[in-house]
Amino acid sequence: MDYRFEISLPTSSDFRCEIAVGGEQTFQQFHDKIVETLNYDSSQMASFFTLDRMGNRVKEIALMDMAVDDEESENLVMDSTKISDIIKPGCLELEYVYDFFSNKYYKVEYAGEYIRDSSDVMPVCIACEGDIPEQFSYDESNANWEFDKPEEEYDGDYDDSFMEEFGNDSYDDDDRQDRDGDDDYYRDSRYESLDDYIDRL
């Protein structure tokens, strides 16, 4: 049996695509046909998700198994999962995530049996209408990797008023020269430890 799927946006009717896939073909082949039809980057991660009656994602059919080698994995992988293994009377709608960074996805709905033509090479795109959404976009003009900080918080002057409590313990090279480079003066006036500082208070 061959399946016909309608692919659309979850919140808009501006785009619609129909793709037919053989029941014995895999989700990898289905994914490849979507990428080819929409001219997407095949190196990007993508996944199909089955849904429960409330529309919540249940099982993921991923491009690759991300489980650690020594773990027993129950994850479904596209290249080893047939369409007929998933699409059944209780599971006729999927979500296809094509941009994980922005959680962009399509609704993928079973739309009935497809009667293939003798010239069809499955999977086959039956129709594709509307503006194809971008797979991934990055606007460099709006990119700002700096921390948000009001300009008035920093006026270019360093506030060292907290150093006043240390009196002559703060010094610079000019101060050193005024005291003829007497290192013993500075060594004696410094605190040896926190306890020493508390004792002198």
Side-chain angles (χ1 to χ4, degrees), residues 123-143:
V124 61
C125 176
I126 303 169
C128 191
E129 305 169 346
D131 296 329
I132 298 174
E134 292 184 2
Q135 181 182 24
F136 179 80
S137 60
Y138 176 73
D139 187 357
E140 294 185 356
S141 63
N142 292 328

Side-chain angles (χ1 to χ4, degrees), residues 3-7 17-22 24-38 46 48 61 63 78-79 81-83 86-87 94-96 106-110 122-125:
Y3 299 76
R4 183 165 54 90
F5 292 97
E6 182 173 298
I7 301 170
C17 182
E18 282 194 30
I19 292 179
V21 189
E24 294 303 303
Q25 292 186 298
T26 66
F27 277 88
Q28 178 73 58
Q29 291 171 291
F30 190 13
H31 160 74
D32 291 342
K33 190 61 182 181
I34 294 174
V35 169
E36 175 190 326
T37 301
L38 305 184
F48 292 92
I61 310 168
L63 269 175
M78 290 187 194
D79 64 3
T81 306
K82 295 180 182 179
I83 302 297
I86 301 297
I87 303 303
L94 308 169
E95 285 181 354
Y96 173 75
Y106 291 111
K107 291 192 303 181
V108 179
E109 299 175 279
Y110 171 72
M122 305 294 286
V124 61
C125 176

Side-chain angles (χ1 to χ4, degrees), residues 51-182:
L51 306 175
D52 62 18
R53 294 182 181 275
M54 301 300 293
N56 300 309
R57 295 174 183 176
V58 180
K59 290 184 179 181
E60 179 181 8
I61 310 168
L63 269 175
M64 60 185 69
D65 192 346
M66 303 298 290
V68 180
D69 292 340
D70 57 355
E71 292 181 351
E72 184 176 348
S73 175
E74 297 181 357
N75 297 338
L76 298 177
V77 183
M78 290 187 194
D79 64 3
S80 59
T81 306
K82 295 180 182 179
I83 302 297
S84 59
D85 291 340
I86 301 297
I87 303 303
K88 301 181 184 300
C91 182
L92 301 177
E93 183 176 346
L94 308 169
E95 285 181 354
Y96 173 75
V97 179
Y98 60 95
D99 180 356
F100 277 92
F101 183 78
S102 302
N103 192 31
K104 293 182 179 179
Y105 64 93
Y106 291 111
K107 291 192 303 181
V108 179
E109 299 175 279
Y110 171 72
E113 183 178 356
Y114 177 71
I115 308 301
R116 75 168 74 183
D117 188 272
S118 58
S119 62
D120 286 338
V121 178
M122 305 294 286
V124 61
C125 176
I126 303 169
C128 191
E129 305 169 346
D131 296 329
I132 298 174
E134 292 184 2
Q135 181 182 24
F136 179 80
S137 60
Y138 176 73
D139 187 357
E140 294 185 356
S141 63
N142 292 328
N144 183 7
W145 297 101
E146 298 180 355
F147 292 104
D148 293 332
K149 182 177 181 181
E151 293 182 1
E152 61 270 19
E153 288 187 14
Y154 178 69
D155 58 6
D157 294 328
Y158 178 67
D159 182 8
D160 59 355
S161 59
F162 73 94
M163 294 294 292
E164 293 178 359
E165 66 176 284
F166 294 99
N168 292 332
D169 292 332
S170 59
Y171 63 95
D172 55 21
D173 290 339
D174 292 337
D175 192 18
R176 175 186 287 274
Q177 292 175 2
D178 291 341
R179 298 184 181 276
D180 298 325
D182 185 2

